[in-house]
């Protein structure tokens, strides 16, 4: 066996010892399930379901009162941006990531999550989360670099010890791919230049991306009640009609919220990378990059307009520029 192969075997034996281990002690979520957090979450997500928001209406539903949106499950376990919770610092997942870092797998990117909800949570429920390192893949070659997929599973239980839901979270720990060296010829550098992630075009949304290819920003419109909706989907949320058409957006709007991404530097994107939620003047929102100004000049309420730009040879996307 070569040196490199035996080194890799030794490393894999070390990381595999973590499979099946609990991340740490069960974590008692800091706040009980509560109405203010439900209300804020619904506002941010644009979810107006009265079962989550209106006590009078909620009383008459099968739930008999306000319930939390199931997809909020993970928010009860959030521990703040600083992540200073001792249970997070001294835990097995951190230890495992340190082993990867020390072996050169310094990159990390979250790839996907699966979730299942066993029951609706109600205000007053006390949630405990317990996370297990479920699996580590074989070594994989990815566009980001060589690495391993690590899956953790978090099980959520209530004050009676009953399971209320679970989620898995998969991350890729990878050795960042080497940048082409200065000595490489331009052609090779261009050929290996990573591109943006392609748009996911399916049966229900390909039409929207195809309009982008032509530099047109469309908004889906219900043929029954006229409600506009975005992103594209099969059914009207207002009247449940599946008949729809579209209108062309003026492209004018304003920044409802935004964030500036610095890390991880995903190949194919320019960093810092400002991503904004834009209120279009027609009344729907769209997530898009803001361009043409410094990230620090972006602000909530900033008036913007859509400009289609080629991000590479085969992809055109709507960007939003400040209106002068
Ligand atoms: Zn409708």
């Amino acid at each position: 066996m070569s040196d490199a192969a035996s080194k890799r075997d030794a490393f894999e034996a070390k990381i595999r010892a973590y499979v099946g281990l609990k991340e740490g002690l069960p974590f008692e979520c800091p706040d009980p399930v509560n109405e203010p957090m439900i209300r804020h979450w619904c506002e941010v997500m644009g979810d107006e379901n009265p079962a989550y928001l209106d006590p009078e209406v909620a009383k008459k539903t099968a739930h008999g009162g306000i319930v939390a949106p199931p997809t909020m499950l993970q928010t009860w376990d959030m521990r703040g941006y600083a992540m200073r919770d001792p249970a997070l610092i001294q835990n097995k997942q951190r230890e495992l990531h340190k082993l990867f870092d020390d072996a050169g797998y310094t990159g990390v990117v979250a790839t996907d999550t699966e979730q299942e909800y066993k029951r609706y949570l109600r205000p007053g429920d006390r949630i405990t989360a317990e996370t297990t390192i479920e699996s580590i893949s074989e070594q994989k070659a990815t566009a980001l670099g060589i690495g391993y997929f690590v899956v953790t599973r978090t099980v959520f239980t209530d004050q009676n010890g009953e399971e209320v839901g679970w989620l898995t979270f998969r991350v890729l720990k990878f050795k960042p791919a080497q940048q082409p060296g200065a000595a490489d010829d331009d052609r090779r550098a261009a050929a290996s230049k990573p591109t943006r992630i392609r748009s996911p075009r399916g049966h229900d949304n390909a039409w929207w991306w195809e309009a982008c290819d032509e530099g047109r920003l469309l908004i889906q419109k219900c043929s029954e009640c006229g409600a506009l909706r975005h992103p594209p989907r099969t059914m009207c949320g207002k009247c449940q009609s599946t008949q729809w058409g579209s209108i062309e957006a003026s492209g004018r709007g304003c920044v409802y919220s935004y964030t500036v991404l610095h890390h991880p530097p995903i190949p194919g994107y320019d960093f810092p990378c400002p991503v904004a939620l834009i209120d279009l003047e027609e009344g729907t929102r769209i997530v898009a990059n803001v361009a043409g100004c410094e990230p620090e000049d972006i602000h909530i309420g900033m008036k913007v307009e859509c400009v289609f730009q080629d991000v590479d040879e085969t992809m055109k996307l709507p960007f939003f520029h400040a209106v002068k």
Side-chain angles (χ1 to χ4, degrees), residues 222-227 229 236-241:
C222 176
S223 305
E224 292 292 328
C225 74
R229 61 185 193 260
C236 174
K238 291 246 150 59
C239 76
Q240 283 73 54
S241 168

Side-chain angles (χ1 to χ4, degrees), residues 61-264:
T61 66
H63 307 299
I66 295 268
V67 290
T71 45
M72 272 188 82
L73 183 59
Q74 199 190 5
T75 59
W76 308 110
D77 176 36
M78 292 288 169
R79 305 176 203 189
Y81 291 120
M83 306 279 274
R84 287 198 199 96
D85 193 308
L88 279 176
I89 293 160
Q90 297 167 340
N91 80 20
K92 290 290 171 192
Q93 195 182 173
R94 284 270 173 118
E95 238 178 75
L96 174 62
H97 280 213
K98 175 90 172 43
L99 281 182
F100 277 111
D101 291 344
D102 293 347
Y105 299 91
T106 52
V108 64
V109 62
T111 61
D112 62 278
T113 176
E114 282 181 39
Q115 316 198 358
E116 187 179 326
Y117 317 116
K118 307 275 186 187
R119 74 161 172 91
Y120 280 89
L121 300 185
R122 299 162 181 287
D125 276 332
R126 302 277 344 192
I127 304 305
T128 297
E130 189 168 35
T131 300
T132 306
I133 298 164
E134 187 168 79
S135 65
I136 300 174
S137 72
E138 300 298 309
Q139 191 183 68
K140 303 278 187 193
T142 76
L144 294 173
I146 300 258
Y148 296 82
F149 289 95
V150 179
V151 179
T152 55
R153 175 180 293 265
T154 303
V155 175
F156 297 85
T157 49
D158 65 13
Q159 56 279 11
N160 303 315
E162 297 287 327
E163 185 178 328
V164 296
W166 57 260
L167 67 85
T168 57
F169 202 73
R170 189 191 317 266
V171 300
L172 173 68
K173 278 297 283 175
F174 63 97
K175 280 187 183 171
Q178 298 296 308
Q179 297 294 329
D184 290 344
D185 67 55
D186 289 350
R187 206 165 55 98
R188 205 178 120 200
S192 65
K193 192 168 177 273
T195 56
R196 277 194 173 228
I197 296 166
R198 301 290 98 177
S199 47
R201 300 186 185 203
H203 176 73
D204 297 321
N205 68 349
W207 62 273
W208 190 84
W209 292 104
E210 283 157 9
C212 284
D213 294 342
E214 297 164 5
R216 295 187 306 134
L217 185 64
L218 297 187
I219 305 174
Q220 199 172 19
K221 181 179 181 180
C222 176
S223 305
E224 292 292 328
C225 74
L228 298 175
R229 61 185 193 260
H230 185 81
R233 47 192 177 269
T234 45
M235 187 183 282
C236 174
K238 291 246 150 59
C239 76
Q240 283 73 54
S241 168
T242 54
Q243 302 300 311
W244 55 268
S246 66
I247 60 164
E248 187 156 351
S250 69
R252 286 185 296 273
C254 67
V255 173
Y256 177 76
S257 185
Y258 72 98
T259 186
V260 179
L261 306 181
H262 294 269
H263 197 81

Side-chain angles (χ1 to χ4, degrees), residues 9-41:
D9 279 357
F11 171 68
E12 291 189 350
K14 261 201 270 183
I15 56 174
R16 297 217 182 281
Y18 282 78
V19 174
L21 294 188
K22 301 263 189 256
E23 185 183 71
L25 294 173
F27 179 74
E28 287 175 29
C29 299
D31 300 298
V33 174
N34 63 82
E35 290 185 27
M37 256 167 81
I38 295 171
R39 196 170 65 244
H40 294 307
W41 189 91

